[in-house]
């Protein structure tokens, strides 16, 4: 059982997204999985360049991206993975740029342009998206962010297998709010939430990791509506 996590935050140590990913991987390891962490911001790569090599009728192999860069070896390892956990901060209502580029390259080679949109990935595996964001619960309801999360969930579900979402909201952005512009935030509330609620998010991430390593993959229900 091999579980691969991808950190889509440029903050590679100790911050919100990586902390949740590390907890998820600890959960997976506690269930007996071998794990790997890929720091997307350590890699040089682009998003899909729309060359359509992966859609050529005379292609030699399915599910291969023709772009050769630092993602190539990573995408090869995905072929052997039993679960994928992708963590991203929310930037302007969607995934970070590195995460989006990664998702394009990860998914598109497996997308068969057939009527039933079936995946060319040969197995069903567990997937998860872990999002961290500054907005509060209430602000999240007012924004359209959830639609973005649901779209990514659906895409991973179609290409690989059922996707779990874990949302960590109202995160701590600075370790010292007095040193950065932060008038719009209630800094004491931020520190308190980080102390009280973030550890609960870490626990949820640990439990998610255990489920990812279970090998049981629920069938996603496609929702194109
Ligand atoms: C460029 C940028 C854009 C951001 N946009 C949003 C946003 O649209 N909504 C939101 O809730 N938080 C936003 N944030 C806050 C981050 O999502 C939040 O602090 C996140 O937890 C950071 O993750 P990290 O600590 O792993 O880097 C933004 C942060 C940055 C740097």
């Amino acid at each position: 059982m091999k579980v691969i996590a991808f950190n889509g935050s440029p903050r590679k140590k100790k911050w919100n997204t990586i902390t949740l990913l590390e907890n998820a991987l600890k959960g997976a390891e506690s269930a007996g999985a071998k794990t790997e962490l890929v720091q997307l911001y350590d890699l040089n790569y682009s998003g899909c360049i729309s060359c359509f090599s992966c859609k050529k009728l005379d292609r030699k192999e399915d599910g291969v991206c023709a772009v050769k860069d630092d993602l190539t070896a990573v995408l090869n390892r995905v072929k052997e993975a039993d679960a994928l956990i992708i963590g991203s901060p929310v930037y302007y209502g969607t995934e970070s740029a590195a995460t989006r580029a990664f998702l394009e390259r990860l998914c598109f080679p497996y997308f068969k342009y057939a009527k039933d949109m079936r995946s060319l990935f040969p197995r069903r595996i567990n997937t998860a998206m872990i999002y961290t964001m500054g907005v509060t619960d209430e602000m999240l309801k007012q924004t359209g962010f959830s639609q973005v999360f649901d779209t990514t969930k659906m895409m991973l579900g179609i290409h690989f297998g059922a996707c779990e979402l874990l949302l960590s909201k109202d995160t701590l952005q600075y370790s010292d709010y007095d040193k950065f512009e932060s008038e719009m935030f209630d800094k004491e509330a931020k520190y308190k939430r980080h102390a009280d609620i973030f550890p609960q998010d870490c626990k949820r991430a640990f439990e998610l990791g255990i489920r990812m390593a279970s090998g049981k993959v629920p069938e996603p229900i496609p929702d194109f509506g």
Side-chain angles (χ1 to χ4, degrees):
M1 175 63 57
K2 174 80 190 278
V3 178
I4 310 183
F6 304 87
N7 180 24
S9 170
R11 302 203 287 184
K12 296 178 215 161
K13 284 183 187 163
K14 296 204 170 86
W15 280 98
N16 299 287
T17 313
I18 183 64
T19 303
L20 294 173
L21 286 171
E22 283 170 349
N23 274 279
L25 290 183
K26 275 188 204 142
E29 283 160 17
S30 77
K34 286 200 170 67
T35 62
E36 177 186 347
L37 173 68
V38 177
Q39 292 279 9
L40 292 177
Y41 277 86
D42 279 345
L43 306 177
N44 240 319
Y45 62 93
S46 73
C48 173
I49 60 163
S50 199
C51 69
F52 294 112
S53 287
C54 61
K55 305 287 172 276
K56 278 195 176 147
L57 293 174
D58 63 353
R59 64 184 179 267
K60 291 197 176 70
E61 222 185 318
D62 285 337
V64 175
C65 178
V67 179
K68 299 297 169 223
D69 57 19
D70 287 358
L71 264 194
T72 307
V74 173
L75 295 176
N76 279 337
R77 296 205 291 283
V78 164
K79 289 184 187 299
E80 312 299 326
D82 300 295
L84 307 175
I85 307 175
I86 302 165
S88 179
V90 171
Y91 284 177
Y92 289 101
T94 186
E95 293 91 4
S96 67
T99 311
R100 280 246 44 101
F102 170 63
L103 285 168
E104 289 171 8
R105 295 276 301 284
L106 174 72
C107 291
F108 200 57
Y110 294 115
F111 187 14
K112 189 166 168 68
Y113 274 177
K115 289 214 168 80
D116 60 1
M117 289 167 118
R118 77 177 176 272
S119 172
L120 293 169
F121 193 74
R123 295 167 293 124
R124 297 279 82 192
I125 61 171
N126 278 309
T127 62
M129 283 299 304
I130 296 180
Y131 289 99
T132 73
M133 64 207 85
V135 288
T136 60
D137 256 319
E138 209 165 286
M139 285 155 81
L140 181 61
K141 283 183 199 127
Q142 287 157 17
T143 66
F145 298 175
S146 293
Q147 273 181 349
V148 171
F149 309 151
D150 286 344
T151 302
T152 301
K153 175 186 163 102
M154 181 187 76
M155 293 316 294
L156 286 170
I158 290 170
H159 291 89
F160 297 99
C163 176
E164 265 199 50
L165 290 183
L166 192 156
L167 309 184
S168 178
K169 291 159 265 178
D170 201 1
T171 55
L172 192 75
Q173 198 156 14
Y174 312 128
S175 45
D176 185 349
Y177 276 70
D178 291 329
K179 290 195 176 142
F180 298 90
E181 198 167 84
S182 56
E183 198 190 18
M184 68 185 271
F185 304 114
D186 176 344
K187 64 180 180 185
E188 294 309 329
K190 282 277 184 193
Y191 294 137
K192 185 165 171 20
R193 182 165 173 111
H194 189 69
D196 296 348
I197 306 295
F198 192 67
Q200 294 175 26
D201 293 341
C202 290
K203 186 167 177 284
R204 291 196 295 135
F206 184 90
E207 287 158 3
L208 176 147
I210 295 175
R211 286 192 295 281
M212 289 293 115
S214 71
K216 290 182 212 133
V217 189
E219 267 306 308
I221 303 161
D223 175 7
F224 303 111

